[in-house]
Amino acid sequence: MSTTYRIGIVGARGHTGAELIRLVAAHPNLELAFVSSRELDGQRVADHVPGYQGELRYASLDPEAVAAQGADVVVLALPNGKAAPYVEAIDKARPDTIIVDLSADYRFDERWYYGLPELTRERWRGEKRISNPGCYATAIQLSIAPLKDLLAAPPVSFGVSGYSGAGTTPSDRNDPEKLRDNLMPYSLTGHTHEKEASRHLGLPVEFMPHVAPHFRGLTVTTNLYLARQAKREDIVNRFHGAYDGEKLVHVVDEAPWVSRIAHQHHVDVGGFAVSNDGKRVVVVATLDNLLKGAATQAMQNINRAIGVDEYTAIPVA
């Protein structure tokens, strides 16, 4: 008989929270114990999340109330800077709880496992505190990792994301009217995902993000200067060698299109344009920022933490 684990989501009103609820609903080993949202307090989850059935309602729960729920797994889907009180309350009341934090708050904390499975799976030691990588940082790292030992200079990544990446709190970056026929640059140096990718790759990365008028999906184009000449075939073989065993990373020949990645759970990496002198490569990666960039990756980490197959409940194309 399979074990059922009770899971709760804090900050469930957001786009990622809704995707995670759908994944949990399809999971044979997970039962949704609570969903916390101040704005939707008292409303039925099923009225807001297509694909979820049941009478569970959103509740407004403070950190102590979340800890008191006694869930086996808690996912924190909160804005940056908001996770600590919940972690402290759970640490105090029920330290064996598995916590998956979707914000950037613990991505730089050595005490937390950084859960980008395709690159950090070998470092897994059964941790119960898991930091979920950022969407851009996931695409950037997967674009660069197979070529790390060949680099002559810091990689430079140009990113464009749909406006769902800006969250649900109103701002210029998620206002469809302001984004119409527009491409909005922001945080052109020092973006959190630039720091994150640099830290976890162990080399400096330069990153320039933009927001576009589409809702979901992001693309990252990365320019890499090489210390020695390489042929395109060699570059492509490195990516196949790194990812052919990965169900959620697809190595493709052409540069992938962001319009084809919406609602998909994997990353497409391709393009692999090599300069005439063989010392410059351009790689393109696309992913759905709400799925492999957030909820799907969280589910990979939850599955590993509860000891089931990593891809349970994740539609694998």
Side-chain angles (χ1 to χ4, degrees), residues 13 15 39 163 166-176 178:
R13 178 178 77 107
H15 303 309
E39 293 84 351
Y163 62 86
T168 52
T169 303
S171 72
D172 286 353
R173 298 209 307 271
N174 59 18
D175 183 334
K178 290 182 179 174

Side-chain angles (χ1 to χ4, degrees), residues 68-222:
Q69 297 293 313
D72 301 299
V73 183
V74 174
V75 179
L76 302 178
L78 295 163
N80 292 343
K82 304 287 187 184
Y86 294 90
V87 174
E88 289 166 11
I90 294 167
D91 279 347
K92 186 176 177 182
R94 203 168 185 271
D96 278 349
T97 304
I98 296 160
I99 303 177
V100 180
D101 180 37
L102 270 56
S103 78
D105 291 8
Y106 295 96
R107 293 176 192 157
F108 302 87
D109 189 326
E110 291 294 336
R111 296 169 296 178
W112 284 59
Y113 173 73
Y114 182 72
L116 206 176
E118 291 77 14
L119 298 182
T120 66
R121 195 179 284 118
E122 300 309 312
R123 297 179 218 157
W124 173 256
R125 298 292 181 271
E127 292 89 350
K128 294 181 182 292
R129 300 289 177 267
I130 301 168
S131 179
N132 214 57
C135 52
Y136 271 132
T138 295
I140 291 168
Q141 290 176 80
L142 292 172
S143 300
I144 295 169
L147 302 179
K148 267 176 64 171
D149 62 313
L150 291 181
L151 298 179
V156 179
S157 296
F158 176 91
V160 180
S161 173
Y163 62 86
S164 59
T168 52
T169 303
S171 72
D172 286 353
R173 298 209 307 271
N174 59 18
D175 183 334
E177 283 305 310
K178 290 182 179 174
L179 286 167
R180 188 191 304 276
D181 301 322
N182 193 12
L183 190 65
M184 194 178 289
Y186 70 100
S187 299
L188 295 173
T189 62
H191 188 283
T192 299
H193 292 185
E194 176 181 276
K195 297 174 185 174
E196 177 185 341
S198 298
R199 177 186 176 94
H200 292 286
L201 283 169
L203 54 90
V205 175
E206 297 166 2
F207 171 53
M208 300 158 293
H210 300 68
V211 181
H214 65 277
F215 178 69
R216 61 196 299 156
L218 64 77
T219 182
V220 171
T221 301
T222 300

Side-chain angles (χ1 to χ4, degrees), residues 258-312:
V258 73
S259 63
R260 294 173 179 166
I261 205 67
H263 303 286
Q264 302 297 313
H265 293 266
H266 66 274
V267 183
D268 278 337
V269 185
F272 310 117
V274 178
S275 62
N276 288 337
D277 66 0
K279 286 195 167 185
R280 176 184 168 222
V281 180
V282 180
V283 178
V284 180
T286 63
L287 58 77
D288 187 317
N289 53 296
L290 302 179
L291 294 176
K292 180 56 176 163
T296 303
Q297 192 136 265
M299 187 55 74
Q300 285 178 271
N301 285 316
I302 292 165
N303 284 335
R304 304 203 68 212
I306 65 174
V308 300
D309 182 86
E310 185 179 309
Y311 305 102
T312 304

